[in-house]
Amino acid sequence: MKKLILYIIVSLTMVSLVQAQSNSPDLSDSLLYQKRTRAMLGFQLGSAAAVSSGLYFLWYSKYDLGGFHWINDNPGWLQMDKVGHTVTNYQVIHKCYSWNRWAGMDKKKALIWSASVAYGFQSLIEFFDGLSVAWGASAGDIAANTLGLASFVSQELAWDEQRILWKFSFRPNNYSQYGEEVQTRAEKLYGTTIYESLLKDYNYQTYWLSANISSFAPNSEWLPKWLNVAVGYSGEGLLGANWNVWYGENECFQDFETIPRYRQYYLSLDIDWTRMKSKRKWFKTVAPFLNILKIPFPAIEYSRIDGLKGKAFYF
């Protein structure tokens, strides 16, 4: 859940820089370079400190804390949480890098600084987890964070651009079809509002790798430069980390293992909004925001429950 909180916070903090990013820096003005660099460094460090403190007091302080410890939570939630860590860290470093380049940093310095902020930010959250009695630091989370960072840095070093984007989408679930007990369980785990579901519900979320076709086939002039192909991953039937059993009201044991827990894989098309040509400055500013979400498109889905099937509209 915390990874998605960070994901949304990072997206929202981008709003404060929308107007500033609409103009390119005049690097011949050394004073402007220094001011922008200092502003970006201060902004990123301040944001990291503020969000970390906020998460601690609003979330971790409400639960019992103890000695730092590790847990192995890799089997849980069909690894949806691990993919979420990867996507979050990718988005954090992506935005930090864009800001730092806007400020006038050279490529190497911007990569080093952005990677340090993103990885340090996520590592601090992992440290808080390690102090929480109910959870623990996870080597799997750290590995997922590293993958998100590596996927961004490697593309910048190899291609000087992001040809493959990590994206996110979501769709509602109808738990009432399984009965009142499951509905109550879902509300307890995931909340009752769309905002809570967006943050907490792994059945609600789909993660995507969206690759730009023309960047890998530069001689295919007939292809739209903005057209991407995307592969997605999601989970279904998750009413607990590892099993669909729990204790309900009056400590009554609830066993819903008959509800299958399974993975879903998708193939779809997508758009890289930053590759669309436009003379409008507002569009160039908004495009990176749009690239956070996978847009609705027809898709092919595969799962062990339903096999292969088409979806006319999937988000």
Side-chain angles (χ1 to χ4, degrees):
M1 185 189 75
K2 297 177 291 302
K3 61 181 179 299
L4 289 175
I5 292 177
L6 296 179
Y7 187 94
I8 291 174
I9 290 173
V10 169
S11 300
L12 292 177
T13 54
M14 291 169 62
V15 175
S16 65
L17 296 173
V18 166
Q19 186 61 43
Q21 291 189 55
S22 64
N23 300 310
S24 300
D26 179 8
L27 298 185
S28 62
D29 187 340
S30 59
L31 182 59
L32 174 61
Y33 168 84
Q34 293 175 13
K35 286 183 177 180
R36 288 190 172 187
T37 300
R38 291 170 183 170
M40 283 300 98
L41 299 185
F43 173 79
Q44 291 169 53
L45 287 175
S47 296
V51 174
S52 299
S53 299
L55 282 176
Y56 177 81
F57 288 107
L58 294 175
W59 178 261
Y60 291 99
S61 63
K62 296 181 180 180
Y63 297 90
D64 293 333
L65 301 178
F68 184 86
H69 63 286
W70 295 85
I71 61 169
N72 179 11
D73 63 350
N74 294 334
W77 303 110
L78 297 182
Q79 295 77 52
M80 281 290 292
D81 60 323
K82 301 297 180 269
V83 184
H85 272 270
T86 300
V87 175
T88 300
N89 218 29
Y90 174 86
Q91 288 293 342
V92 172
I93 186 175
H94 197 326
K95 301 308 174 285
C96 288
Y97 181 77
S98 298
W99 297 338
N100 291 333
R101 291 291 281 168
W102 166 85
M105 289 186 190
D106 61 52
K107 178 178 179 179
K108 181 179 179 181
K109 184 176 180 180
L111 278 175
I112 292 174
W113 179 261
S114 304
S116 299
V117 170
Y119 206 75
F121 195 17
Q122 292 277 48
S123 296
L124 182 58
I125 302 304
E126 205 60 42
F127 176 73
F128 288 158
D129 276 350
L131 295 177
S132 300
V133 174
W135 299 285
S138 167
D141 287 355
I142 294 174
N145 294 338
T146 304
L147 177 59
L149 183 149
S151 64
F152 179 85
V153 173
S154 60
Q155 291 187 74
E156 287 298 321
L157 294 177
W159 302 316
D160 200 30
E161 64 176 352
Q162 295 297 298
R163 298 183 180 183
I164 305 173
L165 310 172
W166 284 100
K167 293 193 175 187
F168 166 77
S169 67
F170 53 93
R171 72 210 190 288
N173 280 279
N174 179 22
Y175 294 105
S176 61
Q177 63 178 309
Y178 299 116
E180 182 178 349
E181 294 88 351
V182 172
Q183 179 71 31
T184 301
R185 169 67 170 177
E187 291 177 356
K188 182 177 180 180
L189 279 178
Y190 306 132
T192 58
T193 68
I194 187 173
Y195 308 106
E196 291 176 297
S197 296
L198 179 63
L199 293 174
K200 302 177 183 180
D201 192 347
Y202 289 120
N203 301 295
Y204 199 86
Q205 306 155 9
T206 303
Y207 295 108
W208 301 85
L209 270 177
S210 179
N212 183 254
I213 301 174
S214 65
S215 63
F216 290 103
N219 296 324
S220 301
E221 297 297 332
W222 57 275
L223 281 172
K225 299 298 182 183
W226 45 262
L227 184 63
N228 282 24
V229 60
V231 292
Y233 174 68
S234 66
E236 189 65 51
L238 305 179
L239 297 169
N242 297 291
W243 304 278
N244 289 343
V245 296
W246 62 88
Y247 284 96
E249 295 183 3
N250 301 319
E251 296 300 312
C252 180
F253 184 71
Q254 303 285 337
D255 185 344
F256 280 87
E257 287 288 83
T258 54
I259 297 177
R261 302 163 58 92
Y262 60 97
R263 309 171 194 274
Q264 297 161 304
Y265 305 93
Y266 301 92
L267 178 65
S268 183
L269 295 177
D270 190 31
I271 289 177
D272 183 343
W273 296 96
T274 62
R275 295 178 186 269
M276 278 193 167
K277 293 183 179 181
S278 176
K279 296 181 180 180
R280 300 181 183 276
K281 290 184 178 180
W282 66 265
F283 180 81
K284 294 180 180 179
T285 299
V286 170
F289 292 88
L290 300 177
N291 267 353
I292 294 175
L293 293 176
K294 160 75 169 65
I295 71 166
F297 247 121
I300 298 173
E301 175 191 327
Y302 174 78
S303 70
R304 66 177 178 82
I305 299 297
D306 298 318
L308 196 66
K309 65 179 183 179
K311 288 183 173 291
F313 186 82
Y314 183 81
F315 183 56

